[in-house]
Every structure is written in structure tokens, then in C-alpha cells.
Amino acid sequence: MPFLMKYLSGQAMGRFPVWMMRQAGRYLPKYRAIRAKHSFWEMATQPEIAAEVSLLPIQEIPVDAIIFFSDILTMPYGLGLPITMKESVGPITEIPLRTQDQFKIFEGYDPSQHTRFVGEALSLIKKQIPNEMTLLGFAGAPWTVGSYLIEGQSNRNFEQIKSWMHNDPASLACCLETLGDATVRYLEYQHQSGAHMVQLFDTWIGHMPKNFFEDHYSKILNKMFFKLKERGVPAIYFTKHSSHLTPLFSSLPVSGFSVDELVSLTELDKQFPRNVFFQGNLDPVLLLKGTEGQVRLKTRLLVQEARSLQRHVIMNLAHGILPGTPVENARAFVQEARSLWI
Ligand code: 1CP
């Protein structure tokens, strides 16, 4: 069993496991060199390239887990939706989904047919990593993926998805549930293809009103995490800037919860059941702009805080590593976290 999984299973490992969200792309010079030769989708859909890029961070930095290179829009892309990646904008859905009928496409989603390249990339990575390394799968959560599919393009006001929510919350919920069911099949397939654990990214959940969460979304997430648990797939829920919902997150049947930089692990400790591990929560801006000394100091403080909790903690950033982050700062975070005892 890999180091991180052994630690989570309760074995005394002596130090906290560590990895960084979005470590596979963006900030590594070698990533940018490969990206210059291929489009994003070429990289994500060719298993050899996806595996090569996924393996880059472990050659530079001694992380304990590897996340496979892909995107939260890969599943809808594999199903045939016209999604393009626009430089410094992000994913664009060329024909936005605006009706319940359009969401029916997810009912026909078959992971090993539409996203076979993901299974192949995971198997290739699994063959090449040492036994101590944990392999992580991931997908976007229905609200976050739904927002890209419905908006068409990243929109700070979430105008389309929110007006749908105001006009007909039940039909939006129905679409997100269909998307959620497909996402569970996708994550299960990743687990079968070699991922030890999976992470569900709900980056834009902070924009969801509490009443929509209570009335509709909580049911969708509960069903998703319940199914994953039932099928033996350990799952981390990632959210960001969504403190208004934290008390509602704490009853989800997740294995782990990813904590952002606006709250402290100690604060959240009181709110979550003991058996849910935490992951987090160094501010990625510190890695981008801070000195190596600052990064090491804040990492030591984070380790100290984690030691004081009666709960498992995975050292990580609060959200994805930012483009332009100096490799030395990323390395300093990981090395410092690994050098300190629990
Ligand atoms: O370590 C990694 O980079 C692994 C792969 C990975 C992951 C986990 C990518 C590659 N994307 C993601 C997740 C992702 N994608 C999230 C959730 C996590 C987070 O909040 O960071 C989100 C919201 C996206 C959407 C997305 N895809 C954006 C953000 C746009 C916006 O609305 O603000 C962007 C720029 C992309 C494209 C993308 N995905 C991944 C990379 C390396 C890139 C850049 C593509 C390029 O090289 O041009």
C-alpha cells in the first residue's frame, strides 16, 4: 500500500503526506515545452502524453501523490460536446446546454467507451510509479462542470446557471443529478483503472445560495459520495470560498475534505466528524509571491497546527498551484512538510 494510503488507514507513518493540487500542469517549464507542441486536448486524450505530463512533478519534487493530467471538462469532451480550451481564458462550451433535454446526453455516458484514454493513461502511470506513490483520479462536481456547460464561457456572475436556478430550480437540479450520476461512473472507472483515491472539484460552489444547496444539491452530492463509498472508492471533496455552506458539507459521506485558505484547520475541526481527513491549506499566492523562507515558515506553522488535531491531515495547498510559481518555492513547501515529524 502506498505511503499516503497507509497513513490514512491509521498506520503510524511518522510524517504527514504531501502533494499539490494542479501540480501536473501550468507551472513546470517541461510542461510548457510539451504544451507548445500539442493542443490541450491532444495532451489529455493521448494516454502516452497524458502519462508523461502527469509524471513530471515527481521528477522535480518529492510529492507523495500524483494526479493524472486532464481537466474537469474531459468527461463531457469525451462524450462529444464541443469544448475548446482558450489560452488564458479556460474551457469554452461552443454550444451551451440550456435545456433539460440537452443534459440527457449524460444518460448515455459509458466511461470505457467515451473516455477510454483516461483509463489507459491511469494504467500507464500506475505501471511507472513506485509502490509508495498514491495515484489520484479526479472529476469536476456537477455544479462546477454544469456552470461551464451552461454558461458557455467562464462568467464571474454565473448569469445563465443562476437564472435557470431562479426560474426552475427543480429542472436544474434534475440536470445536475444526471451529470452527477455520469460523474460517479467516470470516477469508478478511474478507480478500476488504477486510481487509489479520487477528488471531486467543486471550485465554484461558493456562488451557490444556501437554499439551493439545502433543497437540491445536498441530495445530489450525498447520492454521489454514498455510491462511491459503497463501491470502495475513497473520495475527497474540494470546495473553495464557501464558508456559508461548511456546516452542510460536514454531513456528506466523504473520506476527506479539502480546506481553503480563508479558514483554519482548527476552526473546521470542531465541525467535521473525526473520521473525515482534512487536506490543505497553504495559500498558493504564498508560493507564487513569497520568499522561500516565508514558504518554509508557514509550512512549519501548518504542520504544527495539524499535529494538534485528532484527525488525519494531508499537507496541500488551499487550491491549485498558480501559473508562474517558482519551482524552488513548490519544492520548499514539499521538502519542509516532509522533514517534520508528526
Ligand atoms: O495538476 C494538474 O494540472 C492536473 C490537471 C488539471 C486539473 C486537476 C487541469 C489541467 N485542470 C484541473 C482542474 C480544473 N480545471 C478545475 C478545478 C480545480 C481548480 O479550481 O483549479 C477547474 C475550475 C478547471 C477549469 C479550467 N481548465 C480552467 C480555469 C478557468 C476558469 O474558469 O477560471 C483552465 C484555465 C483550464 C485549462 C487547463 N486545465 C488544466 C491545465 C493545465 C489547463 C491550462 C491549459 C493550457 O495549458 O493552456
Side-chain angles (χ1 to χ4, degrees):
M1 202 193 275
F3 180 91
L4 182 150
M5 301 306 290
K6 266 194 218 159
Y7 165 78
L8 291 180
S9 75
Q11 297 187 43
M13 302 304 289
R15 65 167 179 85
F16 293 106
V18 52
W19 70 285
M20 291 176 295
M21 278 181 262
R22 303 212 47 186
Q23 64 190 14
R26 295 171 146 197
Y27 80 109
L28 289 174
K30 281 187 189 155
Y31 167 80
R32 291 199 294 271
I34 298 171
R35 179 71 175 82
K37 288 188 273 172
H38 302 279
S39 72
F40 181 84
W41 289 124
E42 262 168 33
M43 288 169 65
T45 59
Q46 292 185 31
E48 292 76 19
I49 304 182
E52 183 190 353
V53 173
S54 308
L55 291 161
L56 291 179
I58 62 168
Q59 293 155 16
E60 307 261 350
I61 295 170
V63 282
D64 293 306
I66 183 163
I67 184 159
F68 83 104
F69 178 79
S70 190
D71 190 70
I72 57 167
L73 274 304
T74 299
M75 191 264 274
Y77 176 82
L79 247 181
L81 293 179
I83 295 166
T84 50
M85 284 292 178
K86 196 167 167 190
E87 191 75 46
S88 58
V89 175
I92 314 255
T93 309
E94 304 290 349
I95 306 167
L97 309 188
R98 303 269 165 87
T99 66
Q100 219 170 317
D101 243 18
Q102 286 174 296
F103 270 86
K104 291 223 166 82
I105 185 168
F106 291 101
E107 287 171 6
Y109 168 66
D110 173 355
S112 63
Q113 183 196 334
H114 298 110
T115 44
R116 173 172 290 275
F117 53 87
V118 165
E120 288 172 355
L122 285 164
S123 313
L124 274 178
I125 299 167
K126 192 71 175 275
K127 277 193 216 128
Q128 294 175 65
I129 56 176
N131 292 335
E132 311 86 68
M133 186 74 65
T134 295
L135 178 55
L136 299 170
F138 77 94
W143 171 264
T144 294
V145 171
S147 73
Y148 286 101
L149 301 177
I150 296 165
E151 297 297 331
Q153 171 166 349
S154 211
N155 175 311
R156 276 201 306 174
N157 297 324
F158 296 84
E159 288 163 19
Q160 298 293 340
I161 191 169
K162 281 194 169 177
S163 47
W164 189 344
M165 177 188 75
H166 292 306
N167 292 336
D168 192 353
S171 100
L172 174 63
C174 185
C175 294
L176 298 184
E177 185 175 358
T178 307
L179 182 54
D181 291 344
T183 305
V184 168
R185 297 200 289 283
Y186 182 45
L187 290 172
E188 235 192 303
Y189 174 64
Q190 293 181 25
H191 186 249
Q192 285 160 2
S193 306
H196 296 101
M197 185 156 65
V198 298
Q199 178 156 325
L200 192 71
F201 282 98
D202 220 345
T203 309
W204 306 126
I205 183 88
H207 296 263
M208 184 188 289
K210 197 171 175 185
N211 67 345
F212 185 77
F213 191 97
E214 286 172 327
D215 297 346
H216 300 283
Y217 200 59
S218 116
K219 247 185 301 187
I220 297 169
L221 287 180
N222 262 291
K223 182 178 170 193
M224 291 179 74
F225 287 117
F226 182 78
K227 273 197 208 158
L228 289 168
K229 189 156 263 185
E230 201 179 48
R231 291 164 196 179
V233 186
I236 308 171
Y237 186 42
F238 168 86
T239 70
K240 180 174 138 181
H241 306 173
S242 47
S243 304
H244 65 300
L245 301 173
T246 311
L248 303 165
F249 296 149
S250 62
S251 59
L252 293 170
V254 298
S255 303
F257 183 75
S258 200
V259 180
D260 73 24
E261 77 287 8
L262 303 185
V263 286
S264 72
L265 302 181
T266 313
E267 233 177 297
L268 289 201
D269 190 47
K270 300 175 200 88
Q271 300 187 38
F272 279 78
R274 280 261 160 279
N275 62 351
V276 173
F277 69 80
F278 282 170
Q279 170 176 277
N281 70 339
L282 205 71
D283 189 344
V285 171
L286 187 78
L287 259 65
L288 177 71
K289 296 285 187 193
T291 62
E292 204 183 306
Q294 280 176 314
V295 171
R296 289 190 186 272
L297 175 65
K298 292 277 175 139
T299 306
R300 282 201 291 280
L301 293 174
L302 183 61
V303 167
Q304 257 171 36
E305 189 182 6
R307 278 180 190 143
S308 72
L309 308 181
Q310 300 290 315
R311 143 185 343 266
H312 288 113
V313 180
I314 298 176
M315 291 289 136
N316 204 323
L317 305 179
H319 44 95
I321 190 162
L322 296 163
T325 296
V327 177
E328 306 76 61
N329 277 1
R331 196 179 289 122
F333 164 60
V334 173
Q335 281 176 343
E336 194 68 31
R338 284 173 72 112
S339 72
L340 301 166
W341 296 91
I342 286 179

